């Protein structure tokens, strides 16, 4: 367990079966305690020999806050995976990878595999401030070029990832792109790529419960079809995603999430 | 002997006004005295038709006689020879379409059949109160993997362990039981009953490994290498959506999601448990099966003001169990018969505000023998709703099947397995339950599990 920034944490979990099977783009579902909910988190990397799986998460509500209290030697109640389809990695030529915030953790394994597959890899990382740019060195290692964008200009250039994308598209031909980050960023990255006629994969992060295709809570409209992100994705072509529906569905438990988080924070405060 | 009563002995139930606000069990069960009284109604037929009508062929007159004699250990011993999950079956089997339908007493004018299900439940509940005996069998006959810990997988696992096999059950979710755990609600099947009945199977030496998604966490290759045989009983758990406009709106659920949030994740105890379930005022449930009843009655308990079941046929064709339908009426669930949704209506926040339906008329009988519903032109109407739950059936989950292309699949997407032997196109791989038949009943799934255990025993014995 390592703290990456005020709210971002890195954790290595011992799960030999998951470590032995995981591929870039897949995720796990975990439960902190017997009262916990099932939450999906991307697999950042694995150490199959040691049977370890790395996850990175940002504290945004009760479950992630609780996860951040775990210490070395503690056990998660449940940890299942790898789930979802692996990223569509092959040799495309020149690829552009765009990551935002904690989404960089999900982008990194794809960068690595695309480089290994012989692509020329251009990477754009974006975050609000310098402190929130995670895995910079790791991404740089597998990228032919790395551009950093921050909202406040505290690291790299000031501006949005889409500004950087436009510059890259203006300057050279990109064969395939990926954008992983907050939903709204993925939507605008898709629009930017579409303008230049570049296909872009996104990794969707809808609400999930089981993560194995048995409830449809994570359904998204892709093209004209209903797809379950947990088994058909999480990777889809951004141009086919119904973004407006996706964004509205992501917010459907906002009220309950806040209620749960407040109750947890009060409980923690009472415990001193 | 006292004269047989025409009707079944009364079983106490929670009053509708009370139970509408809790998730506790509705039917409270017989005590020994009422059980003995009911048992005395049995005619003790020689060639008892009830036995043949039971998918696992329990010696029904046998265990009923033991109840009448007050010998509960014997009654349990008889049932346990045939069934690994009697407390569950006594509660959820559609007895009116199985054992009780052919009961000779019930065939007489004015007589109701013997309450076989309620008597089975009495015996099984008695057994759950007894200490669990750990069996120390030497597992020397071979190793078998069971995929899925629903009623079919658990039954096969229990029978195989009794036969001397070293059995490992792989379950994708964090708790075993399949539909018994995530689907059927607490008020019909208390989870402590499910847990205890599973503990009895584990005491036979069956190992259950949760959080293992076969096809992802481990592969079918690994299973074939490490086990002498395998039983696939992964059920039919992938929800169907009607796919009408508005399916992406907030407030539109599959029954699987709604019931999983409530049953498996304890959403009704939010925020003690972390998984939320929406509190809705006007709930519409689409469908007429037991799952629709479960979803509607759960929504009622979650505090909805109005719950309406929209069913495209009429009361006569309703596939749900009679008992559940009556319970739903007592709990003031409304019905919109001969209606079918055509569109979900939303507001600018993407939230559901209404369900547009069309009136249906019944036409000629279809393949299933039921009269086919056809829409009546220009008969649209709107039901105000902030939640809609689709309970229109489930299909095969492809996660395992997609990674195992050698396995033959039928035209409906289910595993093509022989009905007589559960054998699939791959030697050593057997399959049964809903993944072969499509969504059916708990007891049929158990019947398939029993058959599979027998066939797997024959297969492994012959191979050696």
């Amino acid at each position: 367990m390592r703290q990456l920034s005020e709210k971002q944490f890195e954790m290595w979990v011992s799960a030999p079966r998951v470590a032995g099977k995981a591929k870039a783009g897949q995720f796990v579902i975990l439960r902190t305690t017997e009262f916990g909910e099932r939450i999906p988190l991307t697999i950042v990397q694995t150490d199959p020999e040691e049977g370890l799986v790395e996850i990175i998460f940002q504290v945004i509500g009760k479950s992630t806050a609780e996860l951040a209290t775990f210490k070395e030697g503690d056990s998660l109640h449940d940890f299942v995976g790898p789930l979802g389809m692996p990223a569509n990695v092959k040799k495309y030529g020149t690829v552009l990878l765009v990551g935002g915030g904690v989404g960089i953790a999900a982008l990194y394994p794809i960068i690595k595999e695309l480089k290994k597959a012989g692509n020329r890899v251009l990477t754009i990382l974006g975050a609000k401030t310098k402190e929130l740019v995670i895995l910079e060195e790791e991404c740089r290692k597998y990228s032919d070029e790395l551009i950093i964008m921050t909202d406040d200009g505290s690291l790299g250039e000031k501006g949005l990832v889409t500004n950087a994308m436009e510059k890259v598209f203006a300057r050279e031909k990109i064969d395939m792109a990926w954008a992983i980050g907050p939903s709204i960023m993925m939507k605008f990255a898709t629009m930017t790529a579409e303008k230049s006629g570049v296909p872009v994969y996104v990794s969707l992060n809808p609400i999930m419960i089981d993560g194995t295709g048995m409830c449809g809570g994570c359904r998204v409209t892709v093209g004209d079809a209903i797809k379950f992100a947990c088994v058909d994705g999480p990777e889809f072509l951004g141009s086919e995603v119904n973004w407006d529906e996706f964004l509205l569905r992501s917010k459907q438990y906002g009220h309950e999430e806040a209620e749960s988080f407040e109750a947890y924070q009060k409980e923690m405060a009472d415990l001193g | 002997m006292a004269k047989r009563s025409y009707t079944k002995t009364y079983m106490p139930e929670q009053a509708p006004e009370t139970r509408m606000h809790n998730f506790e069990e509705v039917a409270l069960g017989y005590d020994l005295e009422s059980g003995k009284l009911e048992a005395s109604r049995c005619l003790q037929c020689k060639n008892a038709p009830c036995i043949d009508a039971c998918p696992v062929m329990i010696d029904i007159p046998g265990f009923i006689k033991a109840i009448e004699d007050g010998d509960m250990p014997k009654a349990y011993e008889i049932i346990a020879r045939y069934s690994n999950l009697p407390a569950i079956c006594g509660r959820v089997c559609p007895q009116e379409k199985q054992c009780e339908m052919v009961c000779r007493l019930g065939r007489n004018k004015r007589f109701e059949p013997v309450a076989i299900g309620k008597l089975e439940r009495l015996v099984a509940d008695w057994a759950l109160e007894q200490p669990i005996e750990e069996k120390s069998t030497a597992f020397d006959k071979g190793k078998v993997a069971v995929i899925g810990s629903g009623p079919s997988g658990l039954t096969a696992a229990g029978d195989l362990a009794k036969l001397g096999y070293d059995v490992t059950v792989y379950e994708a979710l964090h708790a075993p039981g399949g539909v018994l755990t995530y689907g059927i609600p607490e008020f019909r099947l208390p989870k402590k009953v499910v847990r205890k009945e599973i503990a009895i199977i584990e005491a036979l030496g069956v190992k259950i490994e949760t959080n293992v998604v076969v096809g992802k966490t481990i592969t079918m290759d690994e299973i074939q290498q490490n086990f002498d045989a395998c039983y696939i009983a992964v059920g039919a758990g992938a929800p169907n959506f009607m796919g009408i406009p508005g399916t992406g709106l907030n407030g539109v659920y599959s029954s699987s999601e709604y019931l999983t949030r409530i049953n498996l994740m304890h959403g009704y105890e939010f925020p003690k448990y972390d998984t939320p379930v929406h509190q809705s005022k006007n709930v519409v449930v689409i469908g007429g099966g037991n799952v629709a009843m479960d979803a509607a009655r759960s929504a009622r308990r979650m505090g909805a003001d109005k719950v309406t079941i929209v069913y495209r046929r009429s009361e006569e064709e309703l596939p749900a169990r009679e008992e559940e339908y009556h319970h739903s009426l007592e709990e003031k669930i409304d019905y919109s018969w001969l209606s079918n949704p055509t569109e979900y209506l939303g507001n600018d926040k993407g939230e559901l505000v209404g369900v547009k339906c069309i009136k249906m008329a019944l036409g000629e009988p279809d393949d299933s023998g039921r009269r086919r519903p056809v829409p009546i032109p220009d008969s649209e109407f709107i039901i105000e709703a902030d939640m809609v739950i689709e309970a229109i059936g489930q299909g095969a989950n492809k996660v395992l099947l997609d990674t195992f292309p050698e396995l033959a699949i039928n035209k409906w997407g289910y595993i093509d397995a022989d009905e007589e032997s559960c054998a699939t196109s791959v030697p050593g791989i057997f399959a049964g339950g809903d993944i072969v038949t499509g969504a059916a009943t708990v007891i049929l799934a158990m019947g398939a599990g029993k058959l599979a255990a027998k066939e797997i025993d024959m297969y492994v014995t012959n191979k050696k």
Side-chain angles (χ1 to χ4, degrees), chain B residues 58 62 67 69 107 121 125 164 209 244 247 260 311 318 365 417 433:
Chain B
I58 294 176
I67 296 175
D69 297 343
R107 303 302 279 260
R121 171 184 161 163
D125 283 359
E209 291 195 28
I244 59 177
T247 303
T260 298
Y311 181 54
L318 196 75

Side-chain angles (χ1 to χ4, degrees), chain A residues 17 21 31 35-38 62 78 80-82 84 209 212 214-215 217 219 231 248-249 252-253 256, chain B residues 174 209 211-212 216-217 222 237 247-250 252-254 256-257 261 270 273-275 278 349 397 399:
Chain A
R17 277 176 174 158
K21 293 292 190 318
R31 224 158 58 106
F35 300 106
E37 60 183 337
R38 297 169 65 97
K62 179 184 173 182
D78 298 285
V80 58
I209 302 108
T212 61
M214 58 159 261
C215 85
R219 68 188 183 275
V231 288
L248 288 169
R249 281 187 63 78
Q252 61 180 310
Y253 284 99
E256 290 87 346
Chain B
H174 60 256
E209 291 195 28
N211 293 320
V212 178
K216 297 275 182 189
T217 313
E222 289 168 273
T247 303
L249 289 168
N250 288 336
V252 180
Y253 290 83
S254 71
S256 314
E257 178 184 350
R261 281 179 180 272
F270 179 83
Y273 285 80
D274 293 339
T275 306
H278 271 310
K349 289 184 216 146
N397 189 321
V399 170

Side-chain angles (χ1 to χ4, degrees), chain B residues 129-204:
Chain B
E129 297 300 318
Q130 312 308 311
I132 296 175
E133 267 177 67
E134 292 279 344
K135 305 274 189 305
S136 53
T137 322
F139 296 124
D140 49 7
K141 291 186 73 179
K143 282 176 74 182
V144 181
V146 173
I147 309 174
S149 69
S152 200
L154 288 175
T155 299
D159 277 12
L160 284 162
K162 287 178 194 166
L163 289 166
Y165 287 89
D166 180 1
V167 184
T168 305
V169 181
Y170 294 111
E171 167 57 46
L173 290 174
H174 60 256
V179 75
L180 308 170
T181 297
Y182 72 76
I184 304 175
E186 191 82 14
F187 55 82
R188 221 153 57 81
L189 179 63
K191 300 308 147 214
K192 66 171 195 285
V193 171
V194 178
R195 279 196 299 272
K196 271 211 154 165
E197 210 130 80
I198 292 174
I200 291 176
I201 290 175
E202 285 179 296
L204 296 170

Side-chain angles (χ1 to χ4, degrees), chain B residues 287 309-318 335-341 357-363 371-376 379-381 383:
Chain B
I309 289 184
V310 169
Y311 181 54
R312 61 199 183 124
R313 292 182 160 105
S314 64
E315 188 175 354
E316 211 173 299
E317 288 84 11
L318 196 75
Y335 282 80
S336 180
W337 304 111
L338 290 162
S339 309
N340 211 25
C357 298
I358 191 161
K359 278 279 169 200
M360 311 291 274
L362 290 179
R371 293 176 66 193
R372 191 194 301 273
V374 282
I376 302 171
S379 66
E380 282 93 350
F381 63 102
I383 306 176

